[in-house]
Short mmCIF file of all heavy atoms in Angstrom, two decimals:
data_model
loop_
_atom_site.label_atom_id
_atom_site.label_comp_id
_atom_site.label_asym_id
_atom_site.label_seq_id
_atom_site.Cartn_x
_atom_site.Cartn_y
_atom_site.Cartn_z
N ALA A 1 109.17 94.08 69.86
CA ALA A 1 109.58 95.39 70.22
C ALA A 1 110.71 95.31 71.30
O ALA A 1 110.59 94.54 72.26
CB ALA A 1 108.46 96.22 70.83
N PRO A 2 111.86 96.08 71.13
CA PRO A 2 112.91 95.98 72.11
C PRO A 2 112.45 96.42 73.54
O PRO A 2 112.93 95.92 74.51
CB PRO A 2 113.98 97.00 71.58
CG PRO A 2 113.65 97.09 70.13
CD PRO A 2 112.16 96.91 70.02
N ALA A 3 111.47 97.34 73.60
CA ALA A 3 110.98 97.79 74.89
C ALA A 3 110.34 96.68 75.71
O ALA A 3 110.47 96.67 76.92
CB ALA A 3 110.00 98.95 74.72
N THR A 4 109.77 95.70 75.00
CA THR A 4 109.11 94.58 75.71
C THR A 4 110.14 93.77 76.49
O THR A 4 109.94 93.45 77.63
CB THR A 4 108.41 93.73 74.71
OG1 THR A 4 107.37 94.46 74.03
CG2 THR A 4 107.77 92.54 75.42
N ALA A 5 111.23 93.42 75.85
CA ALA A 5 112.29 92.64 76.51
C ALA A 5 112.93 93.43 77.66
O ALA A 5 113.19 92.92 78.72
CB ALA A 5 113.34 92.24 75.53
N ILE A 6 113.14 94.72 77.42
CA ILE A 6 113.77 95.58 78.43
C ILE A 6 112.92 95.69 79.69
O ILE A 6 113.40 95.47 80.82
CB ILE A 6 114.09 96.93 77.89
CG1 ILE A 6 115.18 96.88 76.80
CG2 ILE A 6 114.55 97.90 78.99
CD1 ILE A 6 115.37 98.18 76.09
N VAL A 7 111.62 95.92 79.51
CA VAL A 7 110.73 96.15 80.60
C VAL A 7 110.39 94.84 81.31
O VAL A 7 110.52 94.68 82.53
CB VAL A 7 109.43 96.87 80.11
CG1 VAL A 7 108.40 96.92 81.29
CG2 VAL A 7 109.78 98.30 79.68
N ARG A 8 109.93 93.87 80.57
CA ARG A 8 109.37 92.64 81.18
C ARG A 8 110.46 91.72 81.70
O ARG A 8 110.23 90.98 82.69
CB ARG A 8 108.47 91.95 80.17
CG ARG A 8 107.26 92.74 79.74
CD ARG A 8 106.40 91.95 78.75
NE ARG A 8 105.71 90.86 79.41
CZ ARG A 8 104.55 90.92 80.01
NH1 ARG A 8 103.90 92.07 80.11
NH2 ARG A 8 103.99 89.84 80.58
N GLU A 9 111.58 91.66 81.04
CA GLU A 9 112.61 90.70 81.47
C GLU A 9 113.66 91.30 82.41
O GLU A 9 114.25 90.58 83.23
CB GLU A 9 113.35 90.12 80.21
CG GLU A 9 112.40 89.34 79.36
CD GLU A 9 113.13 88.77 78.11
OE1 GLU A 9 114.35 88.81 78.11
OE2 GLU A 9 112.42 88.33 77.16
N LEU A 10 113.88 92.61 82.32
CA LEU A 10 114.92 93.24 83.11
C LEU A 10 114.39 94.13 84.18
O LEU A 10 114.70 93.96 85.40
CB LEU A 10 115.89 93.98 82.21
CG LEU A 10 116.67 93.18 81.15
CD1 LEU A 10 117.49 94.09 80.26
CD2 LEU A 10 117.54 92.14 81.84
N ARG A 11 113.60 95.09 83.82
CA ARG A 11 113.22 96.14 84.75
C ARG A 11 112.01 95.82 85.61
O ARG A 11 111.95 96.25 86.79
CB ARG A 11 112.95 97.48 84.01
CG ARG A 11 114.24 98.01 83.34
CD ARG A 11 113.95 99.33 82.67
NE ARG A 11 115.14 99.74 81.91
CZ ARG A 11 115.19 100.79 81.05
NH1 ARG A 11 114.04 101.47 80.85
NH2 ARG A 11 116.27 101.09 80.41
N LEU A 12 111.06 95.09 85.11
CA LEU A 12 109.88 94.76 85.87
C LEU A 12 110.18 93.88 87.11
O LEU A 12 109.76 94.19 88.23
CB LEU A 12 108.81 94.10 84.99
CG LEU A 12 107.45 93.87 85.66
CD1 LEU A 12 106.85 95.15 86.18
CD2 LEU A 12 106.48 93.19 84.69
N PRO A 13 110.94 92.76 86.96
CA PRO A 13 111.32 91.99 88.14
C PRO A 13 112.10 92.80 89.15
O PRO A 13 111.88 92.69 90.37
CB PRO A 13 112.14 90.84 87.59
CG PRO A 13 111.74 90.70 86.14
CD PRO A 13 111.42 92.14 85.68
N ARG A 14 113.00 93.69 88.66
CA ARG A 14 113.76 94.50 89.53
C ARG A 14 112.91 95.50 90.29
O ARG A 14 113.13 95.80 91.50
CB ARG A 14 114.83 95.21 88.71
CG ARG A 14 115.76 96.17 89.42
CD ARG A 14 116.84 96.65 88.51
NE ARG A 14 117.80 97.51 89.12
CZ ARG A 14 118.96 97.85 88.62
NH1 ARG A 14 119.33 97.36 87.47
NH2 ARG A 14 119.78 98.67 89.27
N THR A 15 111.95 96.06 89.58
CA THR A 15 111.06 97.07 90.23
C THR A 15 110.12 96.43 91.25
O THR A 15 109.93 96.97 92.35
CB THR A 15 110.21 97.77 89.14
OG1 THR A 15 111.08 98.43 88.23
CG2 THR A 15 109.27 98.79 89.78
N VAL A 16 109.63 95.27 90.93
CA VAL A 16 108.73 94.52 91.87
C VAL A 16 109.53 94.17 93.15
O VAL A 16 109.06 94.37 94.25
CB VAL A 16 108.20 93.22 91.25
CG1 VAL A 16 107.50 92.37 92.27
CG2 VAL A 16 107.20 93.60 90.14
N LEU A 17 110.76 93.74 92.97
CA LEU A 17 111.59 93.42 94.13
C LEU A 17 111.88 94.68 94.92
O LEU A 17 111.87 94.65 96.16
CB LEU A 17 112.89 92.73 93.67
CG LEU A 17 113.82 92.31 94.82
CD1 LEU A 17 113.18 91.28 95.70
CD2 LEU A 17 115.13 91.77 94.27
N GLY A 18 112.13 95.81 94.23
CA GLY A 18 112.39 97.04 94.92
C GLY A 18 111.19 97.52 95.77
O GLY A 18 111.39 97.98 96.87
N VAL A 19 110.00 97.33 95.23
CA VAL A 19 108.81 97.71 96.00
C VAL A 19 108.68 96.82 97.22
O VAL A 19 108.45 97.26 98.36
CB VAL A 19 107.56 97.54 95.12
CG1 VAL A 19 106.28 97.72 95.97
CG2 VAL A 19 107.57 98.55 94.01
N LEU A 20 108.85 95.51 97.08
CA LEU A 20 108.76 94.62 98.21
C LEU A 20 109.79 94.89 99.29
O LEU A 20 109.47 94.99 100.50
CB LEU A 20 108.91 93.16 97.78
CG LEU A 20 107.77 92.60 96.89
CD1 LEU A 20 108.11 91.18 96.40
CD2 LEU A 20 106.46 92.56 97.67
N VAL A 21 111.05 95.07 98.87
CA VAL A 21 112.12 95.29 99.84
C VAL A 21 111.92 96.66 100.51
O VAL A 21 112.15 96.85 101.70
CB VAL A 21 113.47 95.24 99.15
CG1 VAL A 21 114.58 95.72 100.03
CG2 VAL A 21 113.75 93.82 98.70
N GLY A 22 111.54 97.69 99.75
CA GLY A 22 111.27 99.01 100.32
C GLY A 22 110.16 98.99 101.33
O GLY A 22 110.26 99.61 102.43
N LEU A 23 109.06 98.33 100.99
CA LEU A 23 107.94 98.18 101.98
C LEU A 23 108.45 97.49 103.25
O LEU A 23 108.07 97.93 104.37
CB LEU A 23 106.84 97.37 101.32
CG LEU A 23 106.01 98.02 100.24
CD1 LEU A 23 105.08 97.00 99.60
CD2 LEU A 23 105.22 99.21 100.73
N ALA A 24 109.22 96.45 103.05
CA ALA A 24 109.65 95.65 104.22
C ALA A 24 110.57 96.49 105.13
O ALA A 24 110.42 96.51 106.32
CB ALA A 24 110.37 94.40 103.72
N LEU A 25 111.58 97.14 104.55
CA LEU A 25 112.55 97.90 105.36
C LEU A 25 111.94 99.12 105.98
O LEU A 25 112.26 99.49 107.10
CB LEU A 25 113.75 98.28 104.51
CG LEU A 25 114.65 97.09 104.00
CD1 LEU A 25 115.80 97.60 103.15
CD2 LEU A 25 115.21 96.37 105.24
N GLY A 26 111.01 99.77 105.27
CA GLY A 26 110.36 100.92 105.87
C GLY A 26 109.53 100.55 107.10
O GLY A 26 109.58 101.18 108.14
N ALA A 27 108.70 99.48 106.93
CA ALA A 27 107.89 99.04 108.06
C ALA A 27 108.75 98.52 109.21
O ALA A 27 108.45 98.80 110.38
CB ALA A 27 106.89 97.98 107.56
N ALA A 28 109.79 97.78 108.86
CA ALA A 28 110.69 97.23 109.92
C ALA A 28 111.39 98.39 110.67
O ALA A 28 111.57 98.27 111.90
CB ALA A 28 111.72 96.30 109.27
N GLY A 29 111.79 99.41 109.98
CA GLY A 29 112.39 100.56 110.64
C GLY A 29 111.42 101.18 111.67
O GLY A 29 111.87 101.57 112.80
N ALA A 30 110.18 101.37 111.27
CA ALA A 30 109.24 101.99 112.21
C ALA A 30 109.02 101.08 113.40
O ALA A 30 108.90 101.55 114.55
CB ALA A 30 107.89 102.24 111.49
N LEU A 31 108.98 99.74 113.18
CA LEU A 31 108.79 98.81 114.28
C LEU A 31 109.98 98.80 115.25
O LEU A 31 109.77 98.89 116.47
CB LEU A 31 108.59 97.40 113.75
CG LEU A 31 107.23 97.08 113.11
CD1 LEU A 31 107.28 95.71 112.43
CD2 LEU A 31 106.14 97.11 114.20
N ILE A 32 111.19 98.75 114.71
CA ILE A 32 112.34 98.63 115.59
C ILE A 32 112.54 99.97 116.40
O ILE A 32 112.91 99.91 117.55
CB ILE A 32 113.59 98.28 114.81
CG1 ILE A 32 114.75 97.91 115.78
CG2 ILE A 32 114.03 99.37 113.86
CD1 ILE A 32 114.54 96.74 116.61
N GLN A 33 112.27 101.08 115.81
CA GLN A 33 112.37 102.35 116.54
C GLN A 33 111.31 102.44 117.60
O GLN A 33 111.52 102.99 118.70
CB GLN A 33 112.27 103.54 115.59
CG GLN A 33 113.49 103.72 114.72
CD GLN A 33 113.43 104.85 113.77
OE1 GLN A 33 112.51 105.71 113.85
NE2 GLN A 33 114.33 104.95 112.79
N GLY A 34 110.13 101.88 117.32
CA GLY A 34 109.05 101.89 118.34
C GLY A 34 109.36 100.96 119.48
O GLY A 34 109.17 101.30 120.66
N HIS A 35 109.82 99.73 119.19
CA HIS A 35 110.01 98.74 120.24
C HIS A 35 111.28 99.05 121.06
O HIS A 35 111.28 98.75 122.27
CB HIS A 35 110.17 97.34 119.61
CG HIS A 35 108.88 96.70 119.35
ND1 HIS A 35 108.14 96.12 120.36
CD2 HIS A 35 108.14 96.49 118.22
CE1 HIS A 35 107.02 95.63 119.82
NE2 HIS A 35 107.01 95.85 118.55
N THR A 36 112.26 99.68 120.46
CA THR A 36 113.48 100.01 121.29
C THR A 36 113.39 101.39 121.80
O THR A 36 114.19 101.79 122.68
CB THR A 36 114.72 99.89 120.42
OG1 THR A 36 114.69 100.83 119.35
CG2 THR A 36 114.90 98.48 119.90
N ARG A 37 112.41 102.15 121.42
CA ARG A 37 112.29 103.62 121.75
C ARG A 37 113.62 104.33 121.53
O ARG A 37 114.06 105.16 122.29
CB ARG A 37 111.83 103.74 123.22
CG ARG A 37 110.31 103.41 123.40
CD ARG A 37 109.86 103.75 124.80
NE ARG A 37 110.26 102.72 125.73
CZ ARG A 37 110.29 102.88 127.04
NH1 ARG A 37 109.92 104.05 127.58
NH2 ARG A 37 110.67 101.91 127.84
#
Protein backbone atom coordinates (compact mmCIF):
# COMPACT_ATOMS: atom_id res chain seq x y z
CA ALA A 1 0.00 0.00 0.00
CA PRO A 2 1.36 3.49 -0.87
CA ALA A 3 0.06 4.81 2.46
CA THR A 4 2.43 2.49 4.32
CA ALA A 5 5.55 3.97 2.75
CA ILE A 6 4.27 7.52 3.14
CA VAL A 7 3.39 7.15 6.83
CA ARG A 8 6.11 4.85 8.13
CA GLU A 9 9.08 6.09 6.13
CA LEU A 10 8.34 9.80 5.76
CA ARG A 11 5.75 11.17 8.15
CA LEU A 12 6.11 9.00 11.25
CA PRO A 13 9.80 9.84 11.92
CA ARG A 14 9.04 13.50 11.25
CA THR A 15 6.07 13.47 13.63
CA VAL A 16 8.00 11.70 16.40
CA LEU A 17 10.79 14.25 16.10
CA GLY A 18 8.21 17.06 16.14
CA VAL A 19 6.73 15.75 19.38
CA LEU A 20 10.15 15.45 21.03
CA VAL A 21 11.32 18.90 19.92
CA GLY A 22 8.01 20.53 20.85
CA LEU A 23 8.07 18.97 24.32
CA ALA A 24 11.66 20.09 24.78
CA LEU A 25 11.21 23.70 23.65
CA GLY A 26 7.94 24.16 25.55
CA ALA A 27 9.42 22.93 28.83
CA ALA A 28 12.66 24.88 28.26
CA GLY A 29 10.68 28.06 27.65
CA ALA A 30 8.84 27.71 30.96
CA LEU A 31 12.12 27.04 32.76
CA ILE A 32 14.03 29.98 31.30
CA GLN A 33 11.19 32.43 31.98
CA GLY A 34 10.98 31.16 35.54
CA HIS A 35 14.72 31.29 36.25
CA THR A 36 15.26 34.70 34.68
CA ARG A 37 11.89 36.08 35.85
